[in-house]
Amino acid sequence: TVTLARTVGDGGFERHVVVKRLIRELLGKSEAVKRFLDDARHAALIHHANVVGIHQIGRDDDGYFLVLDYVEGGSLEELVDRSGLRMGTIPPPIALRIALDVLAGLSAAHCAEDVTGKPLGLLHRDVSLQNVLVGRDGVTRLADFGIAKSALASVSTDQKYLVGKLLYSPPEYLARRPVGPTLDVYALGVTLWMALSGAEPWEDANEAQLVAHICQGSFP
């Protein structure tokens, strides 16, 4: 769950932040808690203007929580929807500026190291319209490393399951071949395609048809 909150301090200091918590149903599941803590650990090691920053991790009577930057603005999904309501699409120069910001954030994530200098081998794995936040300050930030994959993660994903959104998954991932940073770049390509077109590729396809389209490389 995600909540808008305020952090306060001496001298009338006040700042909006976001508090992220595990839902109650997951609090008793050790694997979910480990994933949540991995999320915090990874995000805290990425210091970049185009990545939503994490300030702290804490614990209270309701369990663990993260305190993150609050981005005043909207998601790219909201911008695409608003443009569609006005019978238009996002102008290409703006869409490309957004994509360049996300690429810079992804580069910071892919190159991130732990405190000893060891590469994290971090992949976001959920780049999408929903996780690209466009601030009113004109800066785009990549959000939500909740299903990120790292070489140092304490929990591994069962290979029988898909992690992330099917529409944004590259063919090598669906074929269970090794993946690297290009997984996130592919997902950003799909994101940019939808930002420019205002629609989903293969809008009427079911999941099985989506898999076939992606694996055959038949992108519109």
Side-chain angles (χ1 to χ4, degrees), residues 32-187:
V33 173
K34 286 180 180 179
R35 284 190 183 280
F36 188 74
L37 297 178
D38 279 339
D39 176 10
R41 187 160 57 95
H42 298 150
L45 292 169
I46 304 170
H47 305 287
H48 196 274
N50 299 117
V51 175
V52 174
I54 180 170
H55 296 287
Q56 72 175 90
I57 180 169
R59 187 178 185 180
D60 57 18
D61 292 341
D62 293 321
Y64 289 102
F65 61 88
L66 309 182
V67 181
L68 305 128
D69 286 335
Y70 167 61
V71 179
E72 185 179 4
S75 70
L76 183 53
E77 181 180 47
E78 291 176 285
L79 293 184
V80 170
D81 288 345
R82 291 289 183 90
S83 297
L85 290 174
R86 297 178 180 180
M87 304 301 290
T89 55
I90 297 175
I94 294 177
L96 293 174
R97 177 69 264 169
I98 290 170
L100 286 169
D101 281 0
V102 178
L103 281 170
L106 282 175
S107 180
H110 295 159
C111 298
E113 301 175 340
D114 68 6
V115 292
T116 68
K118 184 176 181 179
L120 278 172
L122 186 63
L123 303 178
H124 186 282
R125 297 208 295 180
D126 199 18
V127 178
S128 61
L129 290 174
Q130 296 90 339
N131 287 332
V132 173
L133 304 183
V134 183
R136 292 184 64 181
D137 57 2
V139 178
T140 297
R141 299 166 178 85
L142 185 60
D144 200 351
F145 280 78
I147 62 170
K149 179 181 179 181
S150 167
L152 306 181
S154 61
V155 180
S156 60
T157 302
D158 191 319
Q159 288 298 304
K160 295 192 297 290
Y161 297 98
L162 178 73
V163 176
K165 301 177 179 71
L166 176 59
L167 181 61
Y168 298 84
S169 300
E172 62 268 26
Y173 180 58
L174 297 182
R176 295 306 190 213
R177 296 197 298 269
V179 295
T182 52
L183 179 142
D184 289 335
V185 177
Y186 178 95

Side-chain angles (χ1 to χ4, degrees), residues 2-6 15-20 68-71:
V2 179
T3 308
L4 180 64
R6 289 180 297 168
R15 183 183 183 186
H16 278 109
V17 293
V18 168
V19 176
K20 182 178 178 181
L68 305 128
D69 286 335
Y70 167 61
V71 179

Side-chain angles (χ1 to χ4, degrees), residues 165-171 174 185-197 199-203 209-220:
K165 301 177 179 71
L166 176 59
L167 181 61
Y168 298 84
S169 300
L174 297 182
V185 177
Y186 178 95
L188 177 58
V190 177
T191 301
L192 179 59
W193 193 96
M194 289 194 284
L196 289 169
S197 68
E200 289 187 7
W202 318 299
E203 280 193 286
Q209 291 168 331
L210 266 182
V211 171
H213 283 310
I214 294 169
C215 291
Q216 293 165 7
S218 59
F219 225 87

Side-chain angles (χ1 to χ4, degrees), residues 6-16:
R6 289 180 297 168
T7 179
V8 296
D10 294 338
F13 173 83
E14 184 176 301
R15 183 183 183 186
H16 278 109

